[in-house]
Amino acid sequence: MTTNRQSTQTLRILHTNDLHSHFEQMPKIASCFKELKRRYAGEAILTLDIGDHMDRMRLETEGTNGSANIEVMNATGYEAMVPGNNEGLTYDHESLRELFEKQALFPVIGSNIEDSVTGETPGWMLPYHLIRKGELTVGLIGLTAAFTDYYQLLGWNVRDPMESAAWWVQKLRPQCDVLIVLSHLGIRYDERLAGEIDGIDVILGAHTHHLLQEPLLIRNTLVCAAGKYGNYVGEVKVEVDLTWRRILRMSGCVHTMSGWEDDPVIQEILSRNMELGRRALDIHVAELAGPLELDWYRESALGNLLASALRRWMSAEIGLVNAGQLLRGLAAGPVTLGHLLAICPGPINPCRVKLAGDKLRQALEESLLREFQDKPIRGYGFRGEVLGMLCIDGMTVRYDPEGEPMNRIKEAFIGDEPLQDRRIYSVGMIDMFTFGVGYMSLSEGSDVEYLLPELLRDLLREELRSGEHLDEADEPRWYPLAGKQPLQE
């Protein structure tokens, strides 16, 4: 007597990436997952997230310390994720353990991450994952971007992703029918992984927010990505010959979330967590006797206060920050943690660098040009609209608002001493500048020291609580030549 045995099996992979706490999309994603599972009933379904689901710019995430995101992911039915830099670099060890060990119903895969103290993968994370789907064994490798300097400050070792991928592929390939890399590395790394490492079947990409409406096929590897902010859900179809244990066909597509109904279960979770977040952030920080105004295009008190906070916190001679880091000023009256999140949502960290005077001068000149002030910045933690002009502390500048571009500054002083082009200064500024974003010359410093896990709004909170330097924020740093009007918006 013979038994009919299914000779092929189809695996459907549903994937998202870089949601960045766009909660408005999450009910639609849940509806999409449910519908696709219904549509493909009888097939093996695997649901994955490729990192940066969390973003502390949102009240729901910040106010619940990430619990809102985990609750939504649990209810949506995710089966695994890789941490992105927004998870790994904005939460401390204990917070991550609380989220992923105690709350998450799915494994977190970090194949190139180790605790720097123990040299081991932490207990709440797996170095790889093998999951059974019908007759298939699916291997999952999770790789995250190696921001080495940052991770070391937070107690992590993040190994080279190419070397880690090669090691784990060699180990897992004999054990699985389908091998998937969850890659929070960016499109260029994904192309390298596919082009240089044998044995990877599917790469699900993230980090650079790229959308591949049709996957790339590089050698025998399908490279996929679903854009950003939950605008799309990716789908991959893998057909496997069960007799010979080989892949017959692979294909992929993305589904736009426009037009999908909101899942009511997820809506209820979000509504409840929004209220929890609002309550958690309704904590009094300070009482302002008068407003702290902000202007992206000229000097203002709130920008000055943040620049002075950077100078003092980083024990530097000079403080620098672009006005566009702040979304608006603060009104007179009570200030809460919620207010600070609203005006300064970006996960930007302070840092200190050593920088030559001529590099400072170049950035200051560029700061007076509208083409720089209006620059839109994408990524690098920036959550503002435009770059804005430079807010400064520890120095004063005399300039001609009507002068020739890049020749408007007539005098600049560090304290009482003239700015010297060849002298090296200690500058407290923001990490974004060290990446060559906004003002290129500010990335040409040396001895960069980052301060983690503090964010810019943490510095503002302490400045407002102490109140010691509020009056100084009204004192000008930029002085137009006599008879000339300051820069106007």
Side-chain angles (χ1 to χ4, degrees), residues 3 15 32 52 59 74 83 115 118-119 174 182 215 220 225 234 236 261 279 284 303 345 351 358 384-385 410 429-430:
T3 302
H15 60 100
C32 178
D52 277 4
L59 178 149
N74 286 340
D115 187 299
T118 66
L182 287 66
N220 295 317
V236 180
E261 297 292 329
R279 292 178 186 174
H284 185 268
C351 68
D358 62 334
E385 298 295 329
K410 304 308 175 186
M429 60 183 191
I430 57 175

Side-chain angles (χ1 to χ4, degrees), residues 463-478:
E463 289 294 316
L464 293 169
R465 277 179 175 170
S466 74
E468 185 178 350
H469 303 284
L470 289 178
D471 290 341
E472 298 172 13
D474 286 321
E475 297 174 3
R477 281 80 159 155
W478 292 90

Side-chain angles (χ1 to χ4, degrees), residues 178 200-202 217 220-222 236-239 247-252:
V178 181
I200 302 172
D201 297 314
V202 178
L217 183 60
N220 295 317
T221 303
L222 203 67
V236 180
K237 180 181 180 182
V238 182
E239 297 177 72
I247 292 175
L248 298 172
R249 284 171 292 275
M250 295 188 295
S251 61

Side-chain angles (χ1 to χ4, degrees), residues 385-406:
E385 298 295 329
V386 295
L387 184 65
M389 76 173 293
L390 278 175
C391 306
I392 59 178
D393 190 66
M395 68 185 307
T396 54
V397 178
R398 289 183 67 249
Y399 70 103
D400 182 357
E402 302 167 9
E404 289 294 318
M406 298 303 292

